[in-house]
């Protein structure tokens, strides 16, 4: 057995399935690029059968990230499929343009899932596994199979199903603890049992996929690796349904920091971790708590850059990793009023953003406006501007003007001017319970797309009171548009996240809300024929 | 060996040590009351030697929470002390009024800590342990000893130190993985080794104290329990220095959900978990990420209250716990415009808040004002109002009036009127990079206490755009006031958190900033003689 742990990132599939983490195609592509730079071995790019949009996003990733133009090693691009012909065909349609495509299909094997969800007998599950793995294999040489809810499956039956999958051509067998129920010793024993008892397992890679419902996703993944698994399914920041998945950064840094325990390596460039974490947090609107391991704001006892060589030994009294190792940089004022376009381009390239000329133009304009208002501009400020300016959903309504008055008198009032999809300007004024409420009510009066605000968060990008504020919102349409979780098959109301950044948090709030509304309009197909009930350029 | 796991909560000591988590005495007392209701066995109330304020906070908790008037079983109240006479005396001064006091003293036993931090030989460490445990025991029958950095200590030496502590009278031996370095199997083996090799260990309780630097704090604590530890040191939401401590809710719910694996029980009333989590998050300003196990906003697949009996079996396909089990309630509109004072009092009592008449008066006033602006008022709204109104630091400056104009024109302007410690009114106007910057600049012009804003977060308390916004800020004084971490001895700049809630997030931002400034003024002793450079009731 080799000692290389394949990192299978499912931020774009299992991660994106978490409530409100919906990303636009442009955001997904940028996340995939970031994952490739991070050195991820396999990118699960989505669940192509979910919708034409999901299929298209996977295709773009397969084409662009799956075939790097710079001659670097391309990651495997993987698409998820339930064990059905239709799903498998869609998955293949999504990934086939990648240099290294993979189809990942799954079927539940626990008694409770077979009985209540699948309504299939164990014998039927065995047969379906054989057929569908073979069908996937007829398209693609790289096929992964997951026995869903393996953590609660009868071991003997599980071995039979896995042996069937291997015979039918599966090359990776992924063992999910779907409900986050197992304890590390149990999960390690499950993996050992599989390796010892499944005929033909030597020719396959065994993979682990753990959930964090009891806070044990990382411990379980590591227990599986110690028992012989050689692929770990993970997400950036541990996002995912419910309490999320194993966090990429935790498993990678545990293997790295405790190399003498595991004797395993990964292909991850750990110095890219902080950037990937920030990007995913921005695009999904899933915040990272300050005490999150590795990527939380407080995770390191000392700031980056303060480690003189002579102090190193002493620092280790309270620190087992250096912040630099995971790419946490010193917050420096890197640019200012007098920095030019070339300097900005260079800095963005250093940060890992490949911008074309048009994108750079837009960004430079925002940069100059910011430099007029804020003393020094940091890398974090630049990243907020990129997110706000370049990776927004296709825009139907854009903010053209905003004016707000509020305070302790208790009559917060907002006037909003939007440019509509017809390029005309619309204006409305509204009174609210606060300035954000007033702004949102004015926008609602123009856009007329009833929704419920589920979440609203603002935080400052950098230190200092003149910092940029980032706003993330999450809304749910009132028309009851629903989405289906790939694995649970559960339909949930679909929610949409939006992001905005500005030194004025009320302006950022307006942008974030518009971004979420625009995403919702695309998804519900309302974008083409938006009835604009609002008065054109006049207040009512 | 019994199977009862003692829950030792150190939210008020190790948790409060995390950057910015500083709480006021009133907040600490309320957290201690909540921990007692939660059923915690031991409350580590603070590090009394740190400052007279810390000592006073511990004394109040020992007196009030350590001697319940309703005849319920009082929790043990514990104070931390370094292994020195002065610290131990202060700890005793702090806890001696409790019905069940405990002194917790510690000394490092790893080579790296002895050499670089303590600058002591192993022989000196042995002697100091014996002396100081005996000294603590001379005051108090309940003495806990921790060999700091046990996870990296030489086992044979560790056994010697622990045997010495037992002989000197220690009744609980706590084994900390101070740097969050060990893997679960290693940590379990460490505990087993101690139980098998330390003479006299049978008469003591072995305790575990784990850190989350690699995301393994919960797994390590559980491994220690499986190896025979009978006390777990934890914090609410897993807060603490760096990546934090073992989360109370994770360890308790893992023991509960997987009872057949561990065969252990705790005294925790799990239905109080959600309330305790929210309270600690509010008071410390440490946010909880949506994918946090047990207490994150997304932790449960289904909302509370939707589980009909007949559906239960089916629900378990994707859910191993019911939200109700940890006290997650359905968000209901519980009160409105027409609810009276009595109804409010009753509801607050149901939520676990014991308010006196003056407190209820204040709250009722706020409640009525909110009911005028917001359609329905939920439990979460009420909790935000309590935090904003009743548990604020001693106030020197209070917000008397605020007026803000902002928008895309780019000239955000704020006028602020504060009531000073002299009861006079002061007013200032300022221009900022955004409305919050403008407000903070106007406040700075009055208060004149230079500081750096480290963190600024707003989030909506409930769904809906007319929701209350909660703002938490963290500031650091520019005068370089520093604080010392009990265990590391590292001096760090002291930072102060503030909290504000209002339907107008700009008003809430002003209140949160004033709360943090007031805390800072108390801590730096500037409160008595605040020079007010600002013009009284006139703009400049």
């Amino acid at each position: 057995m080799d000692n290389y742990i394949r990192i299978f990132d499912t931020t774009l599939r299992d991660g994106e399935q978490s409530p409100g983490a919906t990303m636009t195609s442009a955001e997904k592509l940028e996340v995939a690029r970031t994952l490739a730079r991070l050195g991820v071995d396999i990118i699960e790019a989505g669940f192509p059968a979910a919708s034409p949009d999901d299929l298209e996003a996977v295709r773009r990733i397969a084409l662009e990230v799956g075939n790097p133009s710079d001659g670097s090693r391309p990651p495997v691009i993987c698409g998820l499929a339930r064990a059905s012909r239709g799903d498998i065909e869609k998955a293949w349609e999504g990934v086939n343009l990648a240099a290294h495509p993979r189809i990942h299909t799954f079927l539940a094997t626990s008694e409770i899932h077979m009985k209540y969800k699948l309504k299939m007998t164990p014998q039927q599950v065995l047969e379906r596994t054989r057929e569908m793995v073979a069908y996937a294999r007829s398209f693609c040489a790289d096929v992964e199979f997951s026995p869903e809810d393996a953590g609660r499956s009868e071991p003997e039956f599980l071995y039979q199903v896995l042996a069937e999958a291997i015979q039918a051509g599966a090359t990776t067998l992924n063992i999910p603890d779907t409900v986050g129920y197992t304890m590390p010793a149990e999960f390690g024993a499950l993996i050992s049992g599989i390796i010892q008892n499944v005929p033909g397992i030597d020719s396959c890679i065994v993979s682990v996929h753990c959930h964090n419902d009891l806070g044990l996703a990382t411990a379980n993944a590591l227990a599986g690796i110690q028992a012989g698994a050689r692929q770990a399914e993970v997400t950036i920041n541990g996002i995912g349904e419910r309490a999320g998945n194993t966090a990429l950064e935790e498993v990678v840094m545990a293997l790295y920091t405790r190399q003498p325990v595991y004797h395993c390596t990964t292909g991850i460039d750990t110095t890219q971790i902080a950037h990937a974490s920030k990007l995913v947090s921005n695009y999904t609107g899933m915040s990272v708590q300050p005490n999150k391991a590795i990527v939380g704001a407080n995770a390191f006892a000392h700031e980056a850059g303060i480690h003189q060589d002579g102090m190193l030994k002493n620092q280790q009294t309270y620190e087992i990793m250096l912040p630099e190792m995971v790419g946490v940089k010193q917050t420096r004022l890197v640019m200012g009023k007098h920095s030019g376009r070339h300097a900005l381009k260079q800095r963005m390239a250093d940060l890992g953003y490949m911008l074309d000329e048009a994108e750079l133009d837009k960004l430079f304009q925002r940069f100059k406006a910011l430099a007029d208002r804020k003393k020094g501009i940091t890398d974090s400020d630049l990243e907020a501007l990129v997110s706000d300016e370049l990776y927004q959903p296709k825009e139907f309504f854009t903010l053209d003007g905003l004016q707000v008055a509020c305070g302790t008198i208790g009559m917060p009032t907002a006037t909003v001017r939007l440019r509509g999809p017809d390029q005309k300007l619309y204006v409305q004024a509204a009174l609210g319970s606060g300035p954000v409420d007033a702004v949102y009510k004015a926008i609602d009066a123009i856009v007329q797309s009833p929704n419920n605000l589920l979440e609203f968060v603002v935080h400052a990008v950098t230190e200092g009171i003149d910092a940029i504020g980032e706003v993330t919102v999450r809304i749910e349409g009132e028309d009851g548009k629903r989405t289906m979780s790939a694995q649970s098959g559960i339909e949930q109301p679909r929610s949409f996240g939006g992001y905005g950044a500005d030194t004025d948090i009320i302006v950022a709030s307006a942008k974030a809300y518009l971004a979420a509304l625009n995403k919702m309009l695309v998804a519900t197909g309302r974008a083409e024929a938006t009835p604009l009930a609002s008065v054109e350029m006049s207040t009512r």
Side-chain angles (χ1 to χ4, degrees), chain A residues 33 52 79 106 110 176 224-225 262 315 332 346 403 411 428 467:
Chain A
R33 284 192 189 122
F106 67 95
S110 68
I225 288 169
Y262 294 99
Q315 292 296 344
R332 281 179 307 144
Q346 186 52 50
Q403 187 177 303
M411 294 192 294
Q428 282 286 0

Side-chain angles (χ1 to χ4, degrees), chain A residues 60-364:
Chain A
R60 275 184 71 184
I61 291 168
L63 187 65
E64 298 188 31
V65 183
N67 298 281
S69 54
D70 61 359
S72 62
R73 180 179 63 97
V76 174
I77 307 296
C78 176
L80 183 71
R82 285 166 298 187
S84 78
R85 285 175 192 268
D87 270 31
I88 290 168
E89 286 157 13
K90 282 271 187 286
W92 180 239
E93 203 183 327
V95 300
N96 76 80
L97 294 174
H100 301 303
R102 174 182 294 186
I103 296 173
H104 176 196
T105 189
F106 67 95
L107 195 60
T109 51
S110 68
E111 207 186 302
I112 185 170
H113 274 233
M114 290 190 290
K115 190 164 166 191
Y116 292 97
K117 192 180 88 163
L118 300 178
K119 299 183 172 57
M120 286 167 76
T121 65
Q123 190 56 38
Q124 286 171 318
V125 166
L126 271 173
E127 280 161 22
R128 175 81 66 86
T129 300
R130 184 179 336 120
E131 277 171 40
M132 290 304 130
V133 169
Y135 190 60
R137 190 61 202 259
S138 74
F139 296 110
C140 185
D142 186 346
V143 173
E144 173 168 329
F145 173 75
S146 297
E148 199 191 357
D149 204 19
R152 294 191 294 185
S153 299
E154 176 59 43
E156 289 304 323
F157 178 63
L158 186 61
Y159 303 157
Q160 275 184 52
V161 174
L162 293 174
E164 211 57 73
I166 294 170
Q167 278 218 318
T171 47
T172 296
L173 295 173
N174 176 53
I175 312 304
D177 177 24
T178 304
V179 292
Y181 177 76
T182 60
M183 297 291 119
E186 289 176 307
F187 194 70
L190 176 68
I191 301 297
S192 292
I194 288 167
I195 290 175
Q196 281 157 25
N197 293 294
V198 176
I201 196 88
D202 293 348
S203 63
C204 293
I205 296 292
V206 176
S207 167
V208 291
H209 180 112
C210 302
H211 279 273
N212 203 38
D213 296 71
L214 292 170
L216 296 167
T218 297
N220 283 344
L222 290 169
I225 288 169
Q226 209 153 22
R230 286 297 172 262
Q231 174 178 293
E233 302 202 356
V234 295
T235 62
I236 302 289
N237 301 336
I239 66 169
E241 286 189 283
R242 304 189 314 277
N245 291 68
T246 305
L248 180 145
E249 62 275 13
E250 292 178 5
V251 120
V252 166
M253 291 312 292
L255 292 176
Y256 183 90
T257 311
R258 303 307 310 280
Q259 221 278 336
V261 175
Y262 294 99
H263 307 290
C264 287
T265 58
T266 72
I268 298 298
D269 174 0
T270 60
T271 64
Q272 299 289 319
I273 285 175
H275 172 65
S277 166
K278 179 84 177 97
L279 189 86
V280 168
S281 170
N282 274 358
Y283 288 172
T284 59
M286 300 279 284
S287 63
V288 173
Q289 65 196 20
N291 54 326
K292 167 77 179 68
I294 317 290
V295 296
N298 294 351
F300 292 94
H302 308 98
E303 270 181 52
I306 65 160
H307 302 275
Q308 273 84 48
D309 265 5
M311 286 174 66
L312 266 184
K313 196 69 188 163
N314 204 340
Q315 292 296 344
Q316 284 173 12
T317 46
Y318 285 95
E319 202 159 73
I320 57 176
M321 292 167 281
L322 296 177
E324 290 83 351
M325 223 183 268
V326 297
V328 174
K329 293 184 206 87
Q330 228 177 334
T331 309
R332 281 179 307 144
L333 305 180
V334 292
M335 307 192 84
K337 258 180 129 81
H338 305 295
S339 305
R341 198 170 173 282
H342 184 76
L344 179 65
K345 185 177 181 175
Q346 186 52 50
R347 191 67 209 154
M348 294 316 292
D350 291 349
L351 290 173
Y353 291 94
M354 305 304 156
L355 307 180
D356 62 30
E357 291 303 302
E359 289 174 333
L360 189 65
D361 282 344
K362 276 195 201 173
L363 189 68
F364 188 61

Side-chain angles (χ1 to χ4, degrees), chain A residues 369-437:
Chain A
L370 178 63
D372 282 341
R373 295 213 242 173
K374 189 171 185 291
K375 277 173 292 178
I377 293 175
T378 67
D379 289 344
S380 306
D381 290 324
L382 295 178
E383 292 188 328
L385 287 188
V386 172
S387 304
D388 185 64
E389 195 59 50
L390 302 181
Y391 300 109
Q392 291 289 15
K394 196 175 159 193
E395 289 190 339
F396 293 96
F397 289 94
T398 55
L399 185 69
D400 190 74
L402 172 67
Q403 187 177 303
V404 169
C406 65
T408 48
I409 300 167
M411 294 192 294
T413 307
T415 313
V416 169
R417 191 171 60 224
L418 301 184
R419 190 171 293 279
D422 52 7
Q423 297 306 313
K424 286 182 185 157
L425 289 173
Y426 298 87
V427 68
Q428 282 286 0
L431 174 74
S433 66
V436 177
D437 185 33

